[in-house]
Amino acid sequence: MEAAAAAVLPALVPSSSAVVVLFAYLGYLAAAGAILPGKLVSGAVLPDSSRLHYRCNGLLSLLLLLGLCAFGVYVGWVTPTVVADRGLELLSATFIFSVVVSFGLYFAGTKSRHKSSSLKPHVSGNFIEDWWLGVQLNPHFMGVDLKFFFVRAGMMAWLFINLSLFAKSYLAGSVNLSVILYQFFCAWYVIDYFVHEEFMTSTWDIIAERLGFMLVFGDLVFIPFTFTIQGWWLLRNEVELSLLAAVANFCIFIIGYLVFRGANKQKHMFKKDPKAPIWGKPPKVVGGKLLASGYWGIARHCNYLGDLLLALSFSLPCGFSSVIPYFYPTYLLILLIWRERRDEARCSQKYKEIWAEYCKLVPWRILPYVY
């Protein structure tokens, strides 16, 4: 144990190369987000009737970065395993960065005199609460919407960490069906996220959550470094899947994807056009505000069910010899039940009798006939 700690602790100290990789990555995303063309999407209407606008060029930014990295590997400027080789260093550097940014957001937010909904400070007087949850809804830095930027950075980093782990497995000759399935599922999920990036503009995190340590850490550290635990596990543990197990795993992934993407798409389209057909039929709307058709007529948070199935499919390629690869679906289950409870309380307060009517019409929270 002491020997293991002695080996790990030095790696947790950020090296200059890890800091360079981190800031080069963030700098590229900031530049690409500002320069590259993309669909301009209007955000949700804020309490003061204003709207933010988002340039959804994440997919183009991702593809260009993939091309630049491939070129760098080809000419020998960078190794494909650079991220996997410096995983702990990058983790500690990103964590320190997220802490510093969170303090900066807190102090800048408390001094803000803006009256707009996106920048108006919300100060409770409790330092820990304000630092953790944030003070401003949509703070900007040099014209960059930080909340949207950090989500993009975390999702993209998830893919690049996995690709570096895959390169390391390939060079070690340990690529098998388990590795391929895991890499394929995660890559599909991340790329699909950027294909439908505009859907992110209508999510609760963007619309209602203030930007504090909770979101900054979640986006920059938790998503890329914990959602790849399965990849790190497969790098050090060989798992042989049977064809039947692989097919079952693939089916869980497909079902999860269809439910997750379908539910989020229906919600996004309903917010844009409340009369748009759902599954070929006019939508059923409660109180003129709440969608009760399609997936949203099956369960009040059916998108959470899809997300949980996807998380499970990411872990199943690791087999059942350890609980470590199942950290992500376990954490997500706890998080989504907590979030569902919080959402229910907020919606009940906001929509009152309309929400009560919706709950009678759609009694299931996440999983029909179970919860």
Side-chain angles (χ1 to χ4, degrees):
M1 183 67 71
E2 292 181 1
V8 170
L9 289 177
L12 287 173
V13 179
S15 64
S16 58
S17 57
V19 173
V20 168
V21 169
L22 174 62
F23 280 94
Y25 172 67
L26 296 176
Y28 164 82
L29 287 184
I35 296 172
L36 296 179
K39 182 178 180 180
L40 198 62
V41 177
S42 298
V45 178
L46 299 175
D48 63 356
S49 299
S50 65
R51 274 190 171 187
L52 297 179
H53 296 85
Y54 302 91
R55 187 182 301 278
C56 294
N57 55 9
L59 181 62
L60 184 56
S61 300
L62 171 61
L63 295 176
L64 179 58
L65 184 55
L66 283 170
L68 291 173
C69 288
F71 178 77
V73 170
Y74 177 76
V75 299
W77 291 346
V78 65
T79 66
T81 62
V82 61
V83 176
D85 292 338
R86 293 173 171 80
L88 289 177
E89 295 176 19
L90 285 168
L91 169 62
S92 60
T94 309
F95 174 76
I96 293 170
F97 176 76
S98 67
V99 171
V100 172
V101 167
S102 300
F103 277 111
L105 289 170
Y106 171 80
F107 290 116
T110 54
K111 294 179 180 179
S112 174
R113 296 294 180 266
H114 286 275
K115 301 299 181 181
S116 65
S117 294
S118 60
L119 296 176
K120 181 181 178 180
H122 299 265
V123 182
S124 69
N126 184 319
F127 167 75
I128 297 298
E129 178 181 339
D130 292 336
W131 174 76
W132 178 269
L133 295 177
V135 175
Q136 294 175 301
L137 185 63
N138 298 100
H140 287 63
F141 179 72
M142 297 180 67
V144 176
D145 184 303
L146 293 178
K147 189 191 293 184
F148 197 66
F149 174 78
F150 289 150
V151 175
R152 177 180 289 185
M155 291 297 295
M156 211 174 287
W158 179 7
L159 177 62
F160 278 95
I161 291 174
N162 270 342
L163 289 177
S164 188
L165 290 171
F166 181 78
K168 204 168 182 68
S169 295
Y170 177 79
L171 293 175
S174 59
V175 173
N176 57 17
L177 182 58
S178 294
V179 173
I180 292 172
L181 280 179
Y182 166 72
Q183 290 287 344
F184 173 77
F185 293 158
C186 291
W188 181 284
Y189 183 91
V190 174
I191 293 172
D192 179 77
Y193 168 88
F194 286 109
V195 170
H196 300 96
E197 189 178 29
E198 67 175 279
F199 293 177
M200 184 64 191
T201 63
S202 59
T203 60
W204 185 261
D205 283 355
I206 294 294
I207 295 173
E209 294 281 14
R210 299 189 296 275
L211 186 62
F213 180 75
M214 182 180 73
L215 284 187
V216 176
F217 172 82
D219 290 339
L220 294 182
V221 181
F222 202 85
I223 288 177
F225 290 100
T226 64
F227 289 12
T228 54
I229 285 176
Q230 302 94 321
W232 291 101
W233 174 263
L234 289 171
L235 185 64
R236 293 165 174 78
N237 299 271
E238 186 173 347
V239 178
E240 293 293 340
L241 287 183
S242 67
L243 181 59
L244 180 61
V247 171
N249 194 173
F250 190 81
C251 289
I252 292 173
F253 171 78
I254 292 297
I255 294 171
Y257 171 76
L258 292 175
V259 173
F260 174 76
R261 179 54 62 213
N264 284 330
K265 184 176 182 180
Q266 287 175 356
K267 179 179 68 174
H268 182 77
M269 296 307 296
F270 175 73
K271 288 184 176 181
K272 290 182 64 177
D273 180 9
K275 297 182 179 180
I278 302 292
W279 288 346
K281 298 179 181 179
K284 182 183 293 184
V285 182
V286 179
K289 295 181 178 181
L290 302 176
L291 176 64
S293 291
Y295 290 106
W296 301 96
I298 297 174
R300 300 198 293 271
H301 302 275
C302 206
N303 55 328
Y304 289 176
L305 174 61
D307 214 0
L308 288 168
L309 289 173
L310 285 169
L312 179 62
S313 74
F314 298 159
S315 298
L316 287 174
C318 299
F320 301 101
S321 63
S322 173
V323 298
I324 293 175
Y326 291 87
F327 170 81
Y328 173 34
T330 303
Y331 147 79
L332 192 64
L333 175 64
I334 297 170
L335 172 70
L336 293 183
I337 290 177
W338 170 76
R339 175 170 282 191
E340 173 268 324
R341 293 283 175 166
R342 191 177 65 160
D343 291 350
E344 293 271 327
R346 286 180 173 178
C347 289
S348 178
Q349 183 178 21
K350 180 178 180 180
Y351 297 110
K352 296 182 172 57
E353 64 276 359
I354 297 177
W355 183 254
E357 182 183 350
Y358 175 59
C359 290
K360 290 181 180 179
L361 187 63
V362 186
W364 305 109
R365 296 170 181 264
I366 296 176
L367 181 60
Y369 305 103
V370 176
Y371 177 73

